[in-house]
Amino acid sequence: MKYGKKIVALAGGVGGAKLADGLAQCLEPDELAIIVNTGDDLEHLGLSISPDLDTVCYTLAGLANPDSGWGRDQESWRTLEEIKKLQGPDWFAIGDLDLATHLERTRRLREGQTLSEITAHFCRRWGIHVPIFPMSDTPVRTYVHCQDGRCLAFQEYFVKYHFEPQIRSIEFENMKNAVVPEKALTALKNADFVLFCPSNPFVSIDPIIQIEAIGSIIAQKKVIAVSPLIGGEALKGPAAKMFHELGMKPGSSAVADHYRAILDLFVLDHKDEAQIALIEGWGIICKALDIFMPDRLARKRLAGQILKILDEQT
């Protein structure tokens, strides 16, 4: 049964991929589009790697590792083991199945195909019917400026150093030269709602919405965000740690405050219901749900509840 409205979801990381999968279970392909952060992309071992794109695609295709949420299920690691023996850079773990994705992406990029064209091709081969777009067909890179003076590319900060360095600020390089796929812009223009998935606000959602072509459209849309924090903690990743180091108390209200200028509706976990009054005092509609998604059924359940809330707003 068709929902009858068009949703564009912005996503990055495991939490974002899970809700994107839930939405894909509830909506028809022409009712949903997903725009994914590519600020985390990197060049490694001569390969072009798009971690967030791959996490979202693998998740929707049913190929993701169910334990970690990233990488491939039933993965093997023979290539990585050989790289270690040869004393190559082994800090970014690429499995053998995952390696095929990066090899083919890199080959196609060198032939002149765009990242969005390649992603669309991969989605067709993996049986994904929902359109998934990178936020930019040109490189935009996230850098973390640390309190110890270092400036780290995001994957170095996140993977190589296990997000242990303390953050001073975050920078997005080449943002002004970002080229948003035309089909992604069309999807945004036609959207009834833009939904920020429960992804890290600083390094998953901000890189997308700070691209001028995207942000200018979103400013005219109804925006809903789902908190990536429960009880002040992130289920995965450094979001709570980043809030603290950037001078804010981690919590769902801090997430809502971060998006306050563009936010119409906010969803937080039942455990954070005490923060509803503060958020609604900012003129934002706030709803409490069980936002924990341990399996595909929970993803679909949460997505369905969110869609019902959106339906009530029209």
Side-chain angles (χ1 to χ4, degrees):
M1 182 176 176
K2 290 182 74 70
Y3 180 59
K5 296 180 179 66
K6 295 184 182 294
I7 312 292
V8 171
L10 310 188
V14 175
K18 287 182 176 181
L19 184 55
D21 180 45
L23 292 165
Q25 293 181 63
C26 295
L27 296 169
E28 295 296 322
D30 64 346
E31 297 177 322
L32 176 65
I34 303 164
I35 300 176
V36 183
N37 167 49
T38 57
D40 295 5
D41 288 13
L42 73 158
E43 297 282 331
H44 184 69
L45 296 171
L47 301 174
S48 297
I49 301 176
S50 298
D52 277 359
L53 262 181
D54 292 342
T55 296
V56 171
C57 290
Y58 291 162
T59 300
L60 266 69
L63 299 173
N65 183 319
D67 297 320
S68 65
W70 56 268
R72 291 285 295 267
D73 191 18
Q74 312 245 335
E75 187 61 280
S76 58
W77 303 93
R78 294 185 66 184
T79 301
L80 184 64
E81 289 165 4
E82 286 300 310
I83 290 171
K84 289 180 180 179
K85 287 180 183 178
L86 297 171
Q87 296 184 320
D90 62 349
W91 60 269
F92 192 86
I94 301 175
D96 299 326
L97 294 173
D98 196 28
L99 178 61
T101 301
H102 309 319
L103 284 167
E104 184 60 5
R105 176 188 293 117
T106 303
R107 183 186 73 81
R108 288 173 177 268
L109 284 170
R110 289 174 180 168
E111 284 188 347
Q113 295 181 40
T114 65
L115 184 58
S116 56
E117 290 171 340
I118 296 164
T119 302
H121 172 76
F122 287 178
C123 285
R124 288 192 295 270
R125 300 304 301 169
W126 288 327
I128 300 170
H129 302 293
V130 172
I132 299 174
F133 304 107
M135 69 183 197
S136 175
D137 273 328
T138 51
V140 174
R141 296 292 183 258
T142 299
Y143 287 91
V144 175
H145 293 272
C146 305
Q147 293 184 19
D148 62 12
R150 285 181 293 173
C151 176
L152 301 174
F154 180 77
Q155 293 300 335
E156 288 186 295
Y157 162 79
F158 185 61
V159 178
K160 188 174 185 178
Y161 297 108
H162 311 288
F163 53 90
E164 291 174 355
Q166 296 202 356
I167 286 183
R168 187 178 75 247
S169 62
I170 297 165
E171 175 189 4
F172 306 124
E173 183 184 73
N174 210 34
M175 184 71 77
K176 290 184 178 180
N177 296 319
V179 176
V180 183
E182 196 59 41
K183 289 181 180 179
L185 291 175
T186 299
L188 276 171
K189 291 172 183 176
N190 293 335
D192 295 292
F193 295 98
V194 176
L195 190 154
F196 297 175
C197 289
S199 304
N200 187 308
F202 304 110
V203 294
S204 290
I205 302 298
D206 277 0
I208 305 175
I209 64 177
Q210 288 188 25
I211 295 175
E212 185 176 356
I214 292 176
S216 61
I217 299 174
I218 289 176
Q220 309 301 318
K221 297 292 179 177
K222 288 188 178 295
V223 176
I224 175 173
V226 181
S227 178
L229 303 181
I230 299 177
E233 298 292 335
L235 296 177
K236 277 186 178 291
K241 179 175 180 288
M242 286 180 166
F243 270 104
H244 177 73
E245 291 169 3
L246 293 172
M248 295 162 274
K249 182 180 179 181
S252 289
S253 61
V255 178
D257 191 24
H258 185 74
Y259 298 135
R260 194 200 299 199
I262 56 173
L263 196 59
D264 296 289
L265 197 153
F266 188 67
V267 175
L268 45 66
D269 192 79
H270 284 304
K271 294 180 180 178
D272 296 326
E273 284 184 6
Q275 300 174 49
I276 290 178
L278 173 63
I279 295 168
E280 291 193 330
W282 299 332
I284 299 167
I285 299 168
C286 189
K287 302 290 184 180
L289 298 171
D290 177 5
I291 64 173
F292 180 51
M293 296 177 285
D295 52 40
R296 289 202 81 212
L297 282 176
R299 300 172 198 171
K300 184 177 181 180
R301 181 260 312 154
L302 177 58
Q305 291 173 332
I306 291 170
L307 292 174
K308 184 177 179 181
I309 291 170
L310 292 181
D311 212 25
E312 294 168 353
Q313 307 306 310
T314 57

